[in-house]
Amino acid sequence: MTSRPRPVVLAGPTAVGKGTLSQYIREHFPDVWLSVSATTRAPRPGEVHGEHYFFVSPEEFDAMVAAGDMLEWAVVHGRNRYGTPRHAVEAALAGGRVPLLEIDLQGARQLRASMPGALFVFLAPPSWDELVRRLVGRGTEGEAERAARLRTAEVEMAASGEFDVVIVNDDVRRAAEELVSLMRSQVS
Ligand code: 5GP
């Protein structure tokens, strides 16, 4: 008898490169099942509804929460809401696939309580200075938003010890290979 696969939860501070890593995995490891979150934030240029996120209104998000459709959800950076739609993850698990959930620390903590069998992976920057450099370099946020994200990142960095595994995002290909090989070891 094969056991049910364990979901892999990937969290890490803002701008550590979770989005880039997810995109790399989408392009190079199409067999990996990536959970698509719902969010109330507006799409950035190039983001596709249903691929990067489900972009929903606050009312639609409320309705999903009320219906029990969110495995976890959180307000991130004190602004928009993000959540993991439950049914898609459950269907992936039932189909024997290892779901990859790329979420924030609050969401990871909720899942620690509700899905203790999951594998919790922390994506860390090579250093704090490098994290600040990446956040400034991305240039997608204004000054106030950047300051808010840095405050969140400080708290998030302090939580790395709560995770089962730490992957240092020094190189996106190397980090992706490490993560995918960890995921493959989750199926027995
Ligand atoms: P961004 O707006 O840059 O795409 O994402 C902001 C943050 O929201 C990131 O830290 C990302 O991990 C987090 N996030 C994305 N999807 C989810 C989700 O479904 N649940 C939670 N809790 N956080 C999420």
Side-chain angles (χ1 to χ4, degrees):
M1 198 182 94
T2 53
S3 57
R4 208 171 135 95
R6 303 166 75 192
V8 173
V9 177
L10 178 73
T14 181
V16 72
K18 280 177 295 178
T20 310
L21 184 63
S22 302
Q23 188 59 27
Y24 187 92
I25 288 174
R26 228 177 253 120
E27 286 167 8
H28 294 85
F29 300 97
D31 56 315
V32 169
W33 192 88
L34 262 165
S35 164
V36 179
S37 300
T39 181
T40 58
R41 87 150 160 75
R44 295 190 186 121
E47 285 184 330
V48 177
H49 181 80
E51 184 182 329
H52 299 97
Y53 283 106
F54 294 106
F55 297 99
V56 300
S57 67
E59 294 73 25
E60 286 170 315
F61 199 99
D62 286 341
M64 291 178 81
V65 172
D69 283 348
M70 293 298 193
L71 209 47
E72 59 72 37
W73 70 271
V75 177
V76 181
H77 307 306
R79 298 196 33 188
N80 292 301
R81 285 179 289 167
Y82 296 78
T84 305
R86 177 189 300 279
H87 296 299
V89 172
E90 286 177 352
L93 286 169
R97 309 197 73 179
V98 177
L100 176 61
L101 279 58
E102 187 256 282
I103 62 176
D104 88 318
L105 177 65
Q106 306 168 75
R109 284 179 171 152
Q110 290 174 42
L111 294 181
R112 196 36 125 187
S114 63
M115 289 197 325
L119 183 79
F120 291 83
V121 180
F122 189 84
L123 190 67
S127 67
W128 174 256
D129 287 350
E130 176 59 20
L131 186 68
V132 174
R133 202 186 62 74
R134 288 181 192 179
L135 187 58
V136 173
R138 187 159 77 178
T140 46
E141 289 87 23
E143 187 56 46
E145 176 70 13
R146 208 154 58 209
R149 286 182 176 229
L150 273 179
R151 280 194 300 277
T152 307
E154 254 181 296
V155 175
E156 288 172 330
M157 285 295 287
S160 64
E162 296 172 24
F163 287 73
D164 301 316
V165 181
V166 175
I167 293 180
V168 176
N169 192 16
D170 45 5
D171 174 79
V172 68
R173 189 178 73 164
R174 197 208 57 74
E177 282 167 358
E178 190 178 343
L179 182 61
V180 171
S181 88
L182 249 180
M183 291 186 70
R184 295 198 170 132
S185 71
Q186 298 310 303
V187 200
S188 49

